[in-house]
Amino acid sequence: MSEFKKLVFSGVQPTGNLHLGNYLGAIRKFVALQDGNDCIYCVVDMHALTAQLVHDDLRGQIRSIAAAFIASGIDPVKNIVFNQSAVPQHAELAWIFNCVARIGWMNRMTQFKDKAGKDREQASLGLYAYPSLMAADILVYRGTHVPVGDDQKQHLELARDIAMKFNLDYAEHIRKAGYGIDITVGEEPVHAYFPMVEPLIDGPAPRVMSLRDGSKKMSKSDPSDLSRINLMDDADAISKKIRKAKTDPDGLPSEIDGLKGRPEADNLVGIYAALADKTKIDVLAEFGGQQFSVFKPALVDLAVNTLSPITGEMRRLMEDTSHIDAILKDGGERARARAEVTMNEVRDIVGFLG
Ligand code: TRP
């Protein structure tokens, strides 16, 4: 028995401005994972067409995600940072996966149901096939570990189902060609070409909520810009938004139980904890009994100190985009070379000529 080489892959869609929730929930994890791992981070621009065909400034959006990666500390030399459409092998493998995946599997995807809304007949075929492209994104590099939010777990299960069916349906071809390795899945020995991808959802990822309504997730589509801290906000904007954040009249409790039924207070404490790399219990030990008039300025200081190096660097990178474009070009070339190794073998396995 052997194991696939560990490879971390993740993707972020270039739709809407990145905010604090994206940073704390995803990008910060990507940065931590680069130590000791082979990592590929992708701006999934092809996915951006699934829900909305025409975008005002898709190129700018792609660059700003890449800029956020770099500004947050992802090393594009040690790792690969690129945009999906630069590697057509993703789409090529996705087609094969469309033929592996069953309609019944796709019908179970809750994100499709949510995104398609009531009028499902009017959703794009791309939105329906989205999880199959996502599986291809990862498996074209034979990726093994995927840092994602909870909402993407079902898509990763689908990626495993696709990998498994491909491995089993083509088992003989895979063996004959001398590809693949022997792994165990559960208790079962399987000769596998594609690995079984695993989600990396470490701990309870901080759910960052709107600054205007603690019961709603911080979201790029919220009409109120005061509801979120954008990764392009400067220190003044960050400070203003935290000062104006909704709270209740009480002070902070000393115990975690005291946050129950106080979603706004809970959110601000959670944001403080995440930014300071502490637990909410630690934060309450420090601020319990204090008023928001004391806590908010402390949160402003912490947020500005932690975020302004990133937001400043992002703005700098977006002023002259040649540096970002060069990073994406180089990343695209290196990704393409790796994806082509897989696709050469996959074409051989399925029986295509050449
Ligand atoms: N579906 C992911 C999201 O909405 C984005 C994504 C596309 C992705 N391809 C991926 C994430 C591959 C991880 C791996 O967040």
Side-chain angles (χ1 to χ4, degrees):
M1 288 301 148
S2 41
E3 267 182 29
F4 284 92
K5 202 170 153 284
K6 184 170 180 189
L7 174 75
V8 175
F9 183 98
S10 198
V12 175
Q13 276 205 54
T15 42
N17 287 335
L18 282 176
H19 54 68
L20 184 64
N22 303 121
Y23 174 69
L24 292 174
I27 301 178
R28 207 170 56 156
K29 278 194 214 161
F30 299 175
V31 177
L33 280 164
Q34 62 182 344
D35 281 330
N37 291 308
D38 185 12
C39 299
I40 303 182
Y41 296 126
C42 181
V43 185
V44 289
D45 50 7
M46 285 154 64
H47 276 102
L49 304 186
T50 57
Q52 183 189 331
L53 187 57
V54 183
H55 295 258
D56 278 346
D57 182 23
L58 188 55
R59 277 185 200 98
Q61 297 282 356
I62 295 166
R63 289 178 176 126
S64 81
I65 306 284
F69 286 171
I70 305 305
S72 303
I74 290 171
D75 177 349
V77 175
K78 183 182 164 293
N79 308 290
I80 295 181
V81 172
F82 75 109
N83 59 305
Q84 185 183 31
S85 62
V87 184
Q89 285 85 351
H90 289 231
E92 187 183 358
L93 185 58
W95 177 256
I96 293 172
F97 285 175
N98 284 346
C99 301
V100 173
R102 307 287 98 181
I103 288 177
W105 303 358
M106 306 314 263
N107 284 342
R108 284 196 284 277
M109 296 295 114
T110 56
Q111 192 172 75
F112 173 74
K113 292 179 200 169
D114 291 347
K115 285 199 183 174
K118 280 208 182 66
D119 198 359
R120 222 175 273 177
E121 299 273 310
Q122 281 305 314
S124 73
L125 186 51
L127 187 66
Y128 193 57
Y130 176 121
S132 168
L133 178 59
M134 177 165 163
D137 295 338
I138 304 160
L139 292 173
V140 82
Y141 306 100
R142 301 215 259 174
T144 57
H145 292 79
V146 183
V148 278
D150 230 14
D151 61 333
Q152 295 299 312
K153 258 169 100 175
Q154 195 186 32
H155 288 160
L156 291 187
E157 275 160 30
L158 185 89
R160 275 203 296 277
D161 290 342
I162 289 176
M164 192 61 162
K165 184 166 166 59
F166 183 98
N167 289 339
L168 294 177
D169 288 2
Y170 286 114
E172 233 174 89
H173 296 71
I174 294 167
R175 253 183 228 288
K176 243 191 239 150
Y179 304 136
I181 62 172
D182 292 317
I183 60 169
T184 43
V185 180
E187 305 279 281
E188 291 297 307
V190 177
H191 189 70
Y193 183 76
F194 287 119
M196 300 292 118
V197 296
E198 284 173 39
L200 290 174
I201 304 178
D202 53 22
R207 259 170 76 80
V208 180
M209 313 304 277
S210 156
L211 299 178
R212 307 299 304 163
D213 177 351
S215 66
K216 284 199 303 202
K217 250 174 108 167
M218 186 176 283
S219 156
K220 52 198 169 199
S221 54
D222 193 313
S224 166
D225 196 52
L226 285 174
S227 72
R228 67 186 154 257
I229 294 174
N230 301 306
L231 280 193
M232 297 275 272
D233 284 346
D234 60 18
D236 284 348
I238 295 173
S239 161
K240 179 173 134 202
K241 289 176 179 179
I242 292 175
R243 279 186 286 110
K244 294 204 171 210
K246 188 175 166 202
T247 50
D248 53 44
D250 295 336
L252 285 172
S254 309
E255 307 284 330
I256 207 98
D257 266 359
L259 291 172
K260 279 209 185 110
R262 300 178 62 191
E264 283 82 18
D266 189 23
N267 187 36
L268 293 183
V269 171
I271 291 174
Y272 192 105
L275 285 170
D277 246 328
K278 290 183 176 166
T279 64
K280 286 189 206 174
I281 298 171
D282 296 334
V283 178
L284 293 180
E286 197 178 335
F287 290 98
Q290 305 270 18
Q291 294 301 315
F292 280 103
S293 55
V294 175
F295 181 65
K296 276 187 173 178
L299 180 56
V300 168
D301 278 350
L302 175 63
V304 168
N305 287 337
T306 321
L307 297 176
S308 8
I310 299 169
T311 58
E313 177 67 1
M314 240 184 110
R315 279 199 305 277
R316 201 183 63 77
L317 287 167
M318 291 302 286
E319 260 159 40
D320 171 9
T321 54
S322 58
H323 184 56
I324 284 295
D325 289 354
I327 286 173
L328 289 173
K329 183 163 180 283
D330 169 68
E333 278 162 15
R334 286 157 57 216
R336 209 150 49 232
R338 285 168 73 156
E340 183 57 10
V341 173
T342 306
M343 282 318 295
N344 258 321
E345 296 181 351
V346 168
R347 290 179 206 119
D348 186 22
I349 290 167
V350 303
F352 293 156
L353 266 177

PDB file of all heavy atoms in Angstrom, residues 9-11 13 44 47 130 134 137-138 146 148 152, ligand 1:
ATOM      1  N   PHE A   9      -4.542  22.038  -2.493  1.00  0.00           N
ATOM      2  CA  PHE A   9      -5.108  22.868  -3.570  1.00  0.00           C
ATOM      3  C   PHE A   9      -6.322  23.611  -3.030  1.00  0.00           C
ATOM      4  O   PHE A   9      -7.141  23.033  -2.316  1.00  0.00           O
ATOM      5  CB  PHE A   9      -5.544  21.988  -4.752  1.00  0.00           C
ATOM      6  CG  PHE A   9      -6.078  22.798  -5.919  1.00  0.00           C
ATOM      7  CD1 PHE A   9      -5.260  23.103  -6.999  1.00  0.00           C
ATOM      8  CD2 PHE A   9      -7.386  23.283  -5.903  1.00  0.00           C
ATOM      9  CE1 PHE A   9      -5.736  23.889  -8.052  1.00  0.00           C
ATOM     10  CE2 PHE A   9      -7.867  24.074  -6.949  1.00  0.00           C
ATOM     11  CZ  PHE A   9      -7.044  24.364  -8.030  1.00  0.00           C
ATOM     12  N   SER A  10      -6.445  24.892  -3.381  1.00  0.00           N
ATOM     13  CA  SER A  10      -7.720  25.545  -3.122  1.00  0.00           C
ATOM     14  C   SER A  10      -7.984  26.633  -4.156  1.00  0.00           C
ATOM     15  O   SER A  10      -7.075  27.064  -4.873  1.00  0.00           O
ATOM     16  CB  SER A  10      -7.803  26.116  -1.714  1.00  0.00           C
ATOM     17  OG  SER A  10      -9.182  26.352  -1.394  1.00  0.00           O
ATOM     18  N   GLY A  11      -9.235  27.043  -4.219  1.00  0.00           N
ATOM     19  CA  GLY A  11      -9.635  28.037  -5.208  1.00  0.00           C
ATOM     20  C   GLY A  11     -10.548  29.084  -4.598  1.00  0.00           C
ATOM     21  O   GLY A  11     -11.304  28.805  -3.673  1.00  0.00           O
ATOM     22  N   GLN A  13     -13.237  32.264  -5.916  1.00  0.00           N
ATOM     23  CA  GLN A  13     -13.906  32.873  -7.069  1.00  0.00           C
ATOM     24  C   GLN A  13     -13.671  34.378  -7.132  1.00  0.00           C
ATOM     25  O   GLN A  13     -13.790  35.054  -6.110  1.00  0.00           O
ATOM     26  CB  GLN A  13     -15.414  32.659  -6.953  1.00  0.00           C
ATOM     27  CG  GLN A  13     -15.853  31.329  -7.463  1.00  0.00           C
ATOM     28  CD  GLN A  13     -17.312  31.373  -7.900  1.00  0.00           C
ATOM     29  OE1 GLN A  13     -17.711  32.217  -8.705  1.00  0.00           O
ATOM     30  NE2 GLN A  13     -18.091  30.467  -7.367  1.00  0.00           N
ATOM     31  N   VAL A  44     -10.423  31.007  -9.448  1.00  0.00           N
ATOM     32  CA  VAL A  44     -11.243  30.177 -10.340  1.00  0.00           C
ATOM     33  C   VAL A  44     -12.154  31.057 -11.218  1.00  0.00           C
ATOM     34  O   VAL A  44     -13.350  31.165 -11.002  1.00  0.00           O
ATOM     35  CB  VAL A  44     -12.034  29.096  -9.561  1.00  0.00           C
ATOM     36  CG1 VAL A  44     -11.081  28.022  -9.050  1.00  0.00           C
ATOM     37  CG2 VAL A  44     -12.821  29.660  -8.390  1.00  0.00           C
ATOM     38  N   HIS A  47     -15.195  29.450 -13.005  1.00  0.00           N
ATOM     39  CA  HIS A  47     -16.367  29.298 -12.145  1.00  0.00           C
ATOM     40  C   HIS A  47     -17.188  30.592 -12.060  1.00  0.00           C
ATOM     41  O   HIS A  47     -18.384  30.558 -11.788  1.00  0.00           O
ATOM     42  CB  HIS A  47     -15.952  28.881 -10.724  1.00  0.00           C
ATOM     43  CG  HIS A  47     -15.743  27.403 -10.576  1.00  0.00           C
ATOM     44  ND1 HIS A  47     -14.501  26.816 -10.555  1.00  0.00           N
ATOM     45  CD2 HIS A  47     -16.628  26.392 -10.457  1.00  0.00           C
ATOM     46  CE1 HIS A  47     -14.635  25.507 -10.411  1.00  0.00           C
ATOM     47  NE2 HIS A  47     -15.917  25.222 -10.346  1.00  0.00           N
ATOM     48  N   TYR A 130     -20.919  22.802 -12.129  1.00  0.00           N
ATOM     49  CA  TYR A 130     -19.882  23.465 -11.322  1.00  0.00           C
ATOM     50  C   TYR A 130     -19.050  22.490 -10.471  1.00  0.00           C
ATOM     51  O   TYR A 130     -17.818  22.538 -10.482  1.00  0.00           O
ATOM     52  CB  TYR A 130     -20.609  24.500 -10.460  1.00  0.00           C
ATOM     53  CG  TYR A 130     -19.859  25.307  -9.451  1.00  0.00           C
ATOM     54  CD1 TYR A 130     -19.855  26.699  -9.531  1.00  0.00           C
ATOM     55  CD2 TYR A 130     -19.202  24.727  -8.373  1.00  0.00           C
ATOM     56  CE1 TYR A 130     -19.212  27.476  -8.584  1.00  0.00           C
ATOM     57  CE2 TYR A 130     -18.556  25.500  -7.430  1.00  0.00           C
ATOM     58  CZ  TYR A 130     -18.562  26.863  -7.536  1.00  0.00           C
ATOM     59  OH  TYR A 130     -17.926  27.631  -6.601  1.00  0.00           O
ATOM     60  N   MET A 134     -14.992  21.762 -10.338  1.00  0.00           N
ATOM     61  CA  MET A 134     -14.243  21.897  -9.080  1.00  0.00           C
ATOM     62  C   MET A 134     -13.426  20.623  -8.796  1.00  0.00           C
ATOM     63  O   MET A 134     -12.270  20.700  -8.361  1.00  0.00           O
ATOM     64  CB  MET A 134     -15.215  22.204  -7.933  1.00  0.00           C
ATOM     65  CG  MET A 134     -14.555  22.293  -6.586  1.00  0.00           C
ATOM     66  SD  MET A 134     -15.665  23.068  -5.367  1.00  0.00           S
ATOM     67  CE  MET A 134     -14.849  22.555  -3.858  1.00  0.00           C
ATOM     68  N   ASP A 137     -10.462  20.762 -11.017  1.00  0.00           N
ATOM     69  CA  ASP A 137      -9.451  21.719 -10.539  1.00  0.00           C
ATOM     70  C   ASP A 137      -8.445  21.012  -9.628  1.00  0.00           C
ATOM     71  O   ASP A 137      -7.236  21.197  -9.740  1.00  0.00           O
ATOM     72  CB  ASP A 137     -10.099  22.832  -9.679  1.00  0.00           C
ATOM     73  CG  ASP A 137     -11.051  23.717 -10.456  1.00  0.00           C
ATOM     74  OD1 ASP A 137     -10.935  23.780 -11.693  1.00  0.00           O
ATOM     75  OD2 ASP A 137     -11.915  24.354  -9.810  1.00  0.00           O
ATOM     76  N   ILE A 138      -8.989  20.233  -8.726  1.00  0.00           N
ATOM     77  CA  ILE A 138      -8.152  19.594  -7.704  1.00  0.00           C
ATOM     78  C   ILE A 138      -7.419  18.391  -8.294  1.00  0.00           C
ATOM     79  O   ILE A 138      -6.219  18.219  -8.127  1.00  0.00           O
ATOM     80  CB  ILE A 138      -9.041  19.114  -6.528  1.00  0.00           C
ATOM     81  CG1 ILE A 138      -9.846  20.278  -5.951  1.00  0.00           C
ATOM     82  CG2 ILE A 138      -8.208  18.428  -5.455  1.00  0.00           C
ATOM     83  CD1 ILE A 138     -11.068  19.854  -5.143  1.00  0.00           C
ATOM     84  N   VAL A 146      -7.679  19.854   0.666  1.00  0.00           N
ATOM     85  CA  VAL A 146      -8.330  21.072   0.186  1.00  0.00           C
ATOM     86  C   VAL A 146      -8.861  21.893   1.361  1.00  0.00           C
ATOM     87  O   VAL A 146      -9.842  21.512   1.996  1.00  0.00           O
ATOM     88  CB  VAL A 146      -9.486  20.718  -0.785  1.00  0.00           C
ATOM     89  CG1 VAL A 146     -10.122  21.982  -1.336  1.00  0.00           C
ATOM     90  CG2 VAL A 146      -8.976  19.848  -1.929  1.00  0.00           C
ATOM     91  N   VAL A 148     -11.102  24.418   2.752  1.00  0.00           N
ATOM     92  CA  VAL A 148     -12.344  25.072   2.311  1.00  0.00           C
ATOM     93  C   VAL A 148     -13.248  25.313   3.509  1.00  0.00           C
ATOM     94  O   VAL A 148     -13.022  24.781   4.594  1.00  0.00           O
ATOM     95  CB  VAL A 148     -13.170  24.201   1.332  1.00  0.00           C
ATOM     96  CG1 VAL A 148     -12.668  24.309  -0.077  1.00  0.00           C
ATOM     97  CG2 VAL A 148     -13.264  22.773   1.803  1.00  0.00           C
ATOM     98  N   GLN A 152     -18.429  23.815   1.451  1.00  0.00           N
ATOM     99  CA  GLN A 152     -17.885  23.131   0.274  1.00  0.00           C
ATOM    100  C   GLN A 152     -17.667  21.635   0.510  1.00  0.00           C
ATOM    101  O   GLN A 152     -17.178  20.929  -0.370  1.00  0.00           O
ATOM    102  CB  GLN A 152     -16.552  23.774  -0.137  1.00  0.00           C
ATOM    103  CG  GLN A 152     -16.703  25.212  -0.609  1.00  0.00           C
ATOM    104  CD  GLN A 152     -17.590  25.316  -1.833  1.00  0.00           C
ATOM    105  OE1 GLN A 152     -17.425  24.578  -2.804  1.00  0.00           O
ATOM    106  NE2 GLN A 152     -18.559  26.199  -1.781  1.00  0.00           N
TER     107      GLN A 152
HETATM  108  N1  TRP B   1     -16.419  26.251  -4.908  1.00  0.00           N
HETATM  109  C1  TRP B   1     -15.427  26.988  -4.181  1.00  0.00           C
HETATM  110  C2  TRP B   1     -16.116  28.111  -3.402  1.00  0.00           C
HETATM  111  O1  TRP B   1     -17.125  28.609  -3.830  1.00  0.00           O
HETATM  112  C3  TRP B   1     -14.381  27.564  -5.106  1.00  0.00           C
HETATM  113  C4  TRP B   1     -13.602  26.492  -5.779  1.00  0.00           C
HETATM  114  C5  TRP B   1     -13.615  26.162  -7.085  1.00  0.00           C
HETATM  115  C6  TRP B   1     -12.689  25.615  -5.152  1.00  0.00           C
HETATM  116  N2  TRP B   1     -12.732  25.146  -7.347  1.00  0.00           N
HETATM  117  C7  TRP B   1     -12.171  24.791  -6.171  1.00  0.00           C
HETATM  118  C8  TRP B   1     -12.294  25.447  -3.825  1.00  0.00           C
HETATM  119  C9  TRP B   1     -11.259  23.775  -5.884  1.00  0.00           C
HETATM  120  C10 TRP B   1     -11.377  24.449  -3.536  1.00  0.00           C
HETATM  121  C11 TRP B   1     -10.876  23.624  -4.565  1.00  0.00           C
HETATM  122  O2  TRP B   1     -15.602  28.500  -2.374  1.00  0.00           O
END
